Amino acid sequence: MTKDEMIWDLSPLVESTSPALIQKKLESMVAEAEKIRDTYHGKIGGFGAKSLLKLLEMKDVFTLKFDEVTMYCLLMYSADSTDDVAKQLNEAARRTSMRAAEALAFINIELGKLLAENPSLVTDPVLVEYKHYLERILRRAPHMLSETEERLIIVKDKNGIKAWQMLQSDWLSTRTFDIEIEGETKTLPYGEIIGLYESPDHDLRERSNQVVYENLGKDEIIWATAIRTVCEDHLQMSKLRKYPTPMTQSLIANDVDKQTINSLMRTIEKNVDLYQRYLRLKAKLMGVDKLANYDLVAPLPDAPEMNYGWMEARKEVVDAYMDFDEKIGKWVDEMFEKRHIDGKVRKGKESGAFCADWLAGKSAYILQSFNGKMGDVYTLAHEQGHAVHAYLGSRAQKPSNYEIGSCIAETGSTFGELLLTEQLLSKVKTKKEKQAILAKILDEFGMATFQVSARVLFEQSMYEAMERGEFLDGEAVAKLWVAARDKIYGDSVDWLDVMKWEWTMKPHYYMANYRFYNYPYVLAQLFVFTLYQLYKEQGDSFVPKLKRLLAAGSSKSPRELGAELGFDITDENFWEKGMKQAEELIDILEKTL
Ligand SMILES: [Zn+2]
């Protein structure tokens, strides 16, 4: 093999890798979008089913035609932002995509009006393939304001509500914190000091938490004013847009309903004991009486170094999927074979990991920085799960039906992590290895399901307080945060006093039009644990069910997907299965003590 196995090959995405030809194709994307606008603008309101079908199909053809070239530029840049050609192409791709999106923005607005006036179009047999896509637009339609008002909101938001988000982010990223490390005082930016939270050194973890939150608390007046204003703006806008509750906008965006979220959250509140049981077990493994907040995501002491080469990692991940289904295993292996994964560590590479769906190629590309740690193998398995989702979804669905919302997006990926867990557990050599693997998956489960639920409860309580007319200053917001947090953790964790300022640093709370963003994470995590439990119960007969679910893309709502598995997800029994899956893992961990 002459090519580096760990560097991806992006060439299948473009006919030619010549930057000039790529730029030309990007420009032709804008020209084509403008042509569509010139042809259809102002006309959609008079469409019947057949002409609507033609428009939607054309929109999908447009997506498939230009998706690859844009993807090529963005991926090239994320792999190496220091490369001059990548910089230039990335900029060109961003600029032209924005212009194309602007040119096509009228479609959804006109479509919303058309459907609001002719709702029967949604169930017209001619449009059957687009049924759920249209249902979602129809659900949003009554809350749209006039075109002039919508445009005014965009202009006013730019220097209004969006400025708070910018302030929060700029403020946080320009703070520095002094901390003593190995006898030397270091001044670290926020992005760096938070890395110490996961340090194996107990004292360093404590001091880094203390210094960060103590300092954030000093600026409480800024955080409180920002969060209050963002929430009040949302309350006002919800009323103007005639949403019955502050949560409705988010429910529509996530394609779910209130009953589902209520049953999910009831299940969480009923199972806080289970989480607290895990935390007490972890305390034992850490050799302390009770966990401190800075131990929650800490590694276990003397966790064994488990190192993997690239080919070893490939084998672990492929085998884990192969064990579930041979065809899926082959696809996962093909991602390596065709070099669709960039695992190499290099300067200028985007941090973290992602999987980019390649719809036209019915495949995907994965980026990660592989350092050979167990966590890297998990990341690889996670992103491969997204790739499997893309393989199945892009074969079965048109692009309009493959806009996966956050409640479903992690189905393939988290399921893959559980497959890997089982695979790794089956061949551990020592008790310590077993504990490290279980703690890794249970820490993640605990954070995504329970810790995030504290944020759900907190956000809810803020709107309730506002609607009661309470004024929320920093201390009042902190009180709501602590109350929500304690509902989840009870007395299983000791919190530093300054942790009452934990809400100040979450950028999402300050993002405009992004309220109630937390429950989708909870839903996504517990959904997959439930699916895994069903797999354990049903064995091989579950395999085609999961494949169908992934192949459905966004053509069905989570509730419909649950129904196809034979479950009503508004019923707590469905979610309890996910808790049962977690409990089984906790039981295995307990037996190692
Ligand atoms: Zn993911």
Side-chain angles (χ1 to χ4, degrees):
M1 190 74 58
T2 46
K3 299 260 183 195
D4 191 329
E5 299 270 351
M6 289 176 76
I7 300 177
W8 61 18
D9 173 17
L10 297 177
S11 64
L13 292 171
V14 282
E15 295 127 44
S16 150
T17 54
S18 139
L21 288 177
I22 288 171
Q23 300 246 25
K24 209 170 144 200
K25 175 129 193 197
L26 288 171
E27 284 303 330
S28 76
M29 168 172 74
V30 181
E32 196 157 314
E34 283 168 351
K35 209 173 119 201
I36 294 174
R37 186 189 56 199
D38 293 345
T39 316
Y40 291 99
H41 188 247
K43 302 210 175 94
I44 298 176
F47 274 9
K50 281 198 183 122
S51 32
L52 184 51
L53 178 68
K54 215 175 123 201
L55 172 78
L56 294 173
E57 283 178 337
M58 185 196 59
K59 191 169 87 70
D60 279 337
V61 170
F62 176 86
T63 305
L64 290 177
K65 187 166 169 190
F66 295 106
D67 209 26
E68 299 171 296
V69 65
T70 337
M71 196 171 156
Y72 177 84
C73 301
L74 302 182
L75 292 187
M76 196 176 167
Y77 182 75
S78 55
D80 187 359
S81 62
T82 62
D83 181 272
D84 283 336
V85 176
K87 265 190 244 178
Q88 199 190 348
L89 289 181
N90 176 59
E91 193 37 45
R94 278 183 193 282
R95 202 183 50 237
T96 49
S97 303
M98 212 162 71
R99 280 168 59 204
E102 266 170 31
L104 297 177
F106 75 97
I107 296 182
N108 272 357
I109 299 173
E110 291 190 24
L111 199 51
K113 279 192 201 139
L114 170 72
L115 296 178
E117 279 162 26
N118 307 285
S120 64
L121 276 172
V122 173
T123 46
D124 194 300
V126 171
L127 292 160
V128 65
E129 211 183 338
Y130 289 98
K131 182 167 175 273
H132 192 56
Y133 177 78
L134 296 173
E135 277 171 351
R136 297 188 66 187
I137 294 179
L138 179 62
R139 209 175 155 197
R140 279 195 293 263
H143 307 291
M144 295 286 285
L145 303 173
S146 74
E147 212 173 321
T148 319
E149 286 166 320
E150 292 291 354
R151 227 182 291 145
L152 187 67
I153 290 170
I154 293 171
V155 174
K156 296 296 281 177
D157 272 359
K158 192 162 175 281
N159 297 303
I161 200 68
K162 290 202 169 155
W164 288 108
Q165 177 190 343
M166 221 186 314
L167 175 71
Q168 194 266 352
S169 141
D170 289 349
W171 197 259
L172 197 60
S173 63
T174 50
R175 296 306 91 185
T176 54
F177 305 87
D178 289 341
I179 188 158
E180 200 187 297
I181 303 173
E182 290 165 1
E184 220 182 292
T185 300
K186 296 216 162 142
T187 303
L188 301 178
Y190 181 74
E192 221 167 293
I193 195 165
I194 58 172
L196 301 176
Y197 296 174
E198 291 182 38
S199 160
D201 179 345
H202 175 273
D203 174 60
L204 196 54
R205 287 201 302 272
E206 174 173 1
R207 286 188 295 113
S208 53
N209 272 270
Q210 178 67 33
V211 71
V212 168
Y213 288 105
E214 193 177 286
N215 277 293
L216 293 184
K218 282 183 191 156
D219 293 322
E220 57 156 305
I221 196 154
I222 291 172
W223 314 115
T225 306
I227 208 167
R228 194 174 58 232
T229 311
V230 169
C231 293
E232 268 174 7
D233 178 81
H234 178 65
L235 281 179
Q236 294 299 326
M237 287 310 295
S238 287
K239 281 186 187 132
L240 269 178
R241 289 186 181 280
K242 299 194 171 57
Y243 287 118
T245 72
M247 202 183 196
T248 313
Q249 184 182 26
S250 151
L251 293 171
I252 294 175
N254 287 299
D255 203 14
V256 287
D257 48 65
K258 196 74 208 318
Q259 298 99 294
T260 299
I261 304 311
N262 285 346
S263 88
L264 172 73
M265 292 310 294
R266 271 197 307 272
T267 312
I268 294 289
E269 292 191 45
K270 275 188 191 160
N271 284 282
V272 292
D273 288 351
L274 179 69
Y275 183 40
Q276 293 173 17
R277 183 180 147 215
Y278 167 65
L279 295 175
R280 278 188 263 271
L281 268 180
K282 185 164 179 186
K284 274 190 195 162
L285 291 168
M286 304 276 299
V288 293
D289 289 337
K290 201 192 232 189
L291 287 185
N293 65 272
Y294 45 84
D295 295 329
L296 284 170
V297 289
L300 297 182
D302 0 291
E305 272 280 332
M306 293 159 81
N307 285 307
Y308 298 83
W310 182 248
M311 293 312 276
E312 272 175 290
R314 170 175 175 170
K315 189 172 171 3
E316 291 292 356
V317 172
V318 171
D319 285 355
Y321 281 97
M322 196 67 95
D323 208 41
F324 177 73
D325 179 70
E326 210 175 303
K327 203 161 184 187
I328 289 183
K330 277 189 187 142
W331 287 340
V332 167
D333 196 51
E334 197 181 289
M335 289 288 290
F336 290 96
E337 203 51 43
K338 293 191 169 168
R339 293 202 297 125
H340 282 198
I341 311 173
D342 197 71
K344 195 137 189 129
V345 180
R346 74 174 75 81
K347 202 170 146 265
K349 185 169 179 170
E350 188 177 317
S351 63
F354 65 75
C355 173
D357 302 333
W358 176 20
L359 297 183
K362 303 187 191 308
S363 178
Y365 276 90
I366 288 173
L367 175 138
Q368 81 166 124
S369 292
F370 185 84
N371 286 298
K373 299 270 178 264
M374 185 177 74
D376 295 323
V377 185
Y378 266 97
T379 304
L380 197 49
H382 179 101
E383 301 307 337
Q384 282 280 17
H386 284 302
V388 170
H389 206 155
Y391 263 69
L392 285 159
S394 58
R395 274 165 178 73
Q397 306 296 340
K398 297 207 160 114
S400 299
N401 284 330
Y402 197 77
E403 296 170 352
I404 316 264
S406 30
C407 291
I408 294 303
E410 299 303 326
T411 307
S413 57
T414 312
F415 201 89
E417 286 191 45
L418 285 165
L419 291 173
L420 179 70
T421 301
E422 192 142 334
Q423 156 103 351
L424 294 177
L425 285 178
S426 72
K427 42 179 154 175
V428 285
K429 290 183 205 78
T430 66
K431 195 170 81 177
K432 290 264 181 218
E433 280 183 13
K434 196 173 193 176
Q435 290 169 341
I437 292 163
L438 287 163
K440 152 108 187 125
I441 198 93
L442 286 166
D443 273 353
E444 227 167 75
F445 174 77
M447 292 312 266
T449 340
F450 289 98
Q451 204 261 4
V452 177
S453 286
R455 293 194 228 141
V456 178
L457 301 176
F458 166 63
E459 202 172 4
Q460 259 158 356
S461 71
M462 256 195 309
Y463 289 107
E464 283 158 15
M466 281 178 170
E467 283 180 329
R468 284 194 304 267
E470 285 172 33
F471 180 77
L472 297 179
D473 59 11
E475 287 292 346
V477 180
K479 218 168 161 181
L480 294 175
W481 166 246
V482 170
R485 183 191 78 192
D486 289 353
K487 240 184 176 170
I488 297 294
Y489 288 90
D491 62 358
S492 63
V493 173
D494 278 332
W495 300 85
L496 293 171
D497 279 343
V498 292
M499 294 312 291
K500 68 178 180 181
W501 303 118
E502 214 177 341
W503 52 274
T504 59
M505 59 74 191
K506 267 280 157 231
H508 306 79
Y509 285 135
Y510 306 87
M511 289 178 189
N513 300 316
Y514 202 49
R515 312 280 53 84
F516 292 98
Y517 77 95
N518 282 299
Y519 68 79
Y521 292 92
V522 182
L523 191 151
Q525 184 80 16
L526 202 54
F527 188 70
V528 181
F529 267 61
T530 296
L531 295 184
Y532 204 79
Q533 182 66 25
L534 291 175
Y535 170 47
K536 298 275 94 175
E537 286 172 12
Q538 300 174 5
D540 286 346
S541 69
F542 179 75
V543 175
K545 292 182 192 166
L546 183 75
K547 282 181 161 173
R548 264 202 304 279
L549 192 155
L550 296 175
S554 59
S555 68
K556 293 188 170 90
S557 69
R559 192 166 170 176
E560 288 168 312
L561 294 173
E564 294 208 334
L565 294 170
F567 285 92
D568 175 4
I569 69 167
T570 65
D571 180 344
E572 286 161 52
N573 287 323
F574 176 77
W575 303 108
E576 283 292 346
K577 283 193 180 289
M579 291 297 178
K580 193 166 165 242
Q581 177 57 47
E583 193 176 6
E584 281 176 19
L585 293 170
I586 295 170
D587 287 342
I588 303 176
L589 181 62
E590 190 162 44
K591 285 196 190 105
T592 67
L593 285 174

